[in-house]
Amino acid sequence: MSFDSQALDTDTDSREYDDVSEDGNDEDMIDEQCADAQAPNESAYFRKLQKKLRRQVSWAIRDFNMIEDGDVVMVCVSGGKDSYTLLDILLLLKRIAPIHFDIVAVNLDQKQPGYPEDILPAYLNEQGIAHYILEKDTYSIVKSVVPEGKTYCSACSRLRRGSLYGFAKQIGATKIALGHHRDDMLATFFLNLFHGGALKSMPPKLLSDDKQNMLIRPLAYVEEKDIIEYAKLKEFPIIPCNLCGSQTNLQRAIINDMLREWDDAHPQRLASIFKAMQNVAPSQLADRELFDFETLSLDRDNDERLFEGDNIQAGQTDSLAEIGLPVSPRTQTFNPKFASDKPYSTKTDKAAQSERKTQKIPTINPVI
C-alpha cells in the first residue's frame, strides 16, 4: 500500500496554486479525521491553511517516495518555524496515512550562549512527542575555525549534519526529515548559480555520500510565507538562532530579499522557477558529463527539404561548383495558399526574375 492510496491530494498540475479539492467522499472523510484532532475554536482560515500544507507535504512524499511502510522518521527540530511546521504536519499525516510509520524528534543543543534549552523539551513533552535532546558544543568549534568576517552557516551545518547522521543510524531511524522548504531550495539554487558556478540545489530526497542515511525534505512544495503564517497561528515557541542570525550581509539573506521582491512583483515567478528545476533538459545545457555532446552525429534520410521562399540568389557560382554545392537550388512556395500544382519550382534565378512584374511606386501630379 502506497502513501497516496487514499485521496490525500488533488490534480498534480494545480498543486502550486490551488488548495481546493475536487475529490469526493474519501477527501471529506480525511477532512473529518483532521477536524477531530483540531480544537473547536480553530478558525476556518487556519483549517484551510493546514489543509493546503497537508496536501503539499503529502504530494512531496508521494512524488519522491519519501516515507514507506515501517519507516522510523527522525525529524530534526531546531526550534525554528520550519522544523516546528514540519513536525506538526507529519504528525497529522501519521494519523491519517494508509501506511504505518513512526516519528521521533531530535534536537541538537549546540551550546550557544543564552540558548533557552528548556523551551523545546517543554513543548515536546507537552505534546507527548517522542524525542531526544543531543548536547554538543559545536558553537565553540565553529567560532574557532571560521575566520572573522566569514559566514558560519556552512561549517555549522556540516558539524550538525555529521552528528545527526551518526545518531540516526544509532537509533535505527530509516529517514532523516529536514525542514527546508521550497524557498530554501530556490535560494540555494541561486547561491550556487551566482557564487558557486553550478546548477544545483537541495534535492527533495538525498542519499548520503556514504549511503548510510536517507534525507528527505517533505516541505519541498511549501512556500515560506505559508509556513510563517502557520507558525503564527499555531503559536510555536520559536527559538532564534544567535549564531548565523547575528551576522549581517549574508549572501543567502540577499538572495531571499531578491526572491521576496520577485514574488511581490510577479506572483507566479517563483513557482515557474521551481517547476524548471523539475524539468531539466540536459541536451540544452553545456554539461559534458551530463550529456554526450562529443559523439553527436547526423542521421539524415534521403528526403529533400527545399527552401520555402521566392528565390535563391547564388553568388560566385564557379566557387560553389568547385565546392560541389548546387548553383541553382530549387525553392518551394512558402504560403500554401499560393502554391501551384507543382510541389516546387525548378526555374533558374534569371528565369524567375524575368517573370516577376515590376511594381512601380504610384505618383501624384501636384497640379491635380
Side-chain angles (χ1 to χ4, degrees):
M1 182 179 293
S2 63
F3 188 86
D4 63 322
S5 61
Q6 294 189 28
L8 291 176
D9 54 358
T10 57
D11 182 17
T12 56
D13 291 337
S14 64
R15 63 185 170 215
E16 291 295 338
Y17 318 107
D18 185 20
D19 63 324
V20 179
S21 173
E22 296 179 358
D23 295 331
N25 296 330
D26 289 341
E27 182 68 29
D28 295 336
M29 178 185 67
I30 292 173
D31 290 337
E32 290 176 3
Q33 294 176 19
C34 295
D36 292 340
Q38 295 171 343
N41 59 346
E42 288 176 347
S43 66
Y45 173 73
F46 170 80
R47 290 196 295 271
K48 182 178 180 181
L49 178 59
Q50 186 181 63
K51 187 177 182 180
K52 178 182 180 181
L53 297 185
R54 182 247 302 171
R55 285 177 175 168
Q56 289 176 332
V57 171
S58 67
W59 281 326
I61 293 174
R62 175 202 59 194
D63 289 351
F64 297 95
N65 193 28
M66 292 184 182
I67 300 178
E68 301 170 273
D69 192 35
D71 270 338
V72 177
V73 182
M74 188 179 93
V75 182
C76 300
V77 183
S78 64
K81 66 183 189 321
D82 304 332
S83 58
Y84 274 126
T85 300
L86 172 63
L87 178 61
D88 192 74
I89 297 298
L90 285 181
L91 288 171
L92 175 62
L93 289 176
K94 173 179 164 59
R95 292 194 291 268
I96 62 175
I99 62 174
H100 172 77
F101 62 95
D102 292 312
I103 292 176
V104 56
V106 175
N107 168 255
L108 178 60
D109 181 356
Q110 298 177 270
K111 296 304 176 182
Q112 298 179 22
Y115 178 78
E117 57 186 26
D118 60 316
I119 292 180
L120 192 55
Y123 171 80
L124 296 173
N125 284 324
E126 181 184 351
Q127 301 296 320
I129 300 171
H131 66 275
Y132 295 96
I133 305 295
L134 312 180
E135 298 183 7
K136 184 174 183 178
D137 187 6
T138 60
Y139 175 86
S140 299
I141 300 174
V142 171
K143 294 287 285 186
S144 64
V145 299
V146 177
E148 189 68 26
K150 299 294 183 179
T151 57
Y152 301 137
C153 295
S154 179
C156 179
S157 63
R158 284 198 301 270
L159 288 171
R160 186 171 61 248
R161 193 183 307 123
S163 299
L164 294 172
Y165 279 11
F167 187 70
K169 186 177 180 181
Q170 180 181 345
I171 64 174
T174 54
K175 301 288 172 58
I176 301 175
L178 304 178
H180 299 124
H181 46 71
R182 187 201 70 175
D183 294 10
D184 285 330
M185 297 168 69
L186 290 176
T188 303
F189 173 80
F190 283 106
L191 279 170
N192 283 304
L193 180 65
F194 294 160
H195 305 288
L199 283 176
K200 66 178 184 179
S201 179
M202 298 174 175
K205 186 178 181 181
L206 175 69
L207 181 64
S208 62
D209 292 339
D210 60 4
K211 301 185 182 346
Q212 301 297 303
N213 287 285
M214 185 74 71
L215 273 70
I216 59 174
R217 294 182 171 96
L219 298 180
Y221 292 158
V222 179
E223 301 173 54
E224 183 178 27
K225 59 187 178 183
D226 287 336
I227 294 176
I228 293 173
E229 191 65 22
Y230 189 75
K232 288 180 181 177
L233 295 173
K234 289 288 290 187
E235 298 181 347
F236 293 134
I238 304 297
I239 304 173
C241 175
N242 296 323
L243 184 58
C244 59
S246 62
Q247 294 184 286
T248 57
N249 298 325
L250 293 174
Q251 289 299 333
R252 182 172 287 274
I254 296 173
I255 295 294
N256 285 333
D257 289 340
M258 179 191 75
L259 295 179
R260 280 189 286 268
E261 289 177 5
W262 283 357
D263 193 38
D264 292 338
H266 310 280
Q268 299 304 326
R269 176 174 290 182
L270 299 187
S272 178
I273 297 173
F274 186 74
K275 184 177 181 181
M277 291 170 57
Q278 305 173 72
N279 187 25
V280 180
S283 64
Q284 308 304 304
L285 297 174
D287 190 332
R288 290 175 292 133
E289 299 295 330
L290 196 62
F291 186 81
D292 187 7
F293 294 97
E294 186 177 352
T295 59
L296 286 179
S297 60
L298 292 174
D299 186 20
R300 285 180 172 171
D301 51 33
N302 294 325
D303 294 336
E304 189 175 16
R305 182 177 178 180
L306 302 182
F307 170 71
E308 297 179 352
D310 300 326
N311 183 37
I312 298 176
Q313 298 183 18
Q316 297 292 331
T317 55
D318 292 341
S319 300
L320 291 173
E322 289 179 5
I323 300 174
L325 300 178
V327 295
S328 299
R330 296 174 296 176
T331 64
Q332 62 182 356
T333 304
F334 173 67
N335 192 334
K337 178 180 179 181
F338 304 106
S340 62
D341 295 337
K342 296 181 179 180
Y344 50 80
S345 172
T346 58
K347 295 183 176 67
T348 63
D349 296 341
K350 291 183 178 180
Q353 290 177 2
S354 64
E355 289 188 1
R356 289 184 177 177
K357 295 180 179 180
T358 303
Q359 295 183 355
K360 295 182 179 181
I361 301 175
T363 59
I364 299 176
N365 190 326
V367 176
I368 296 175

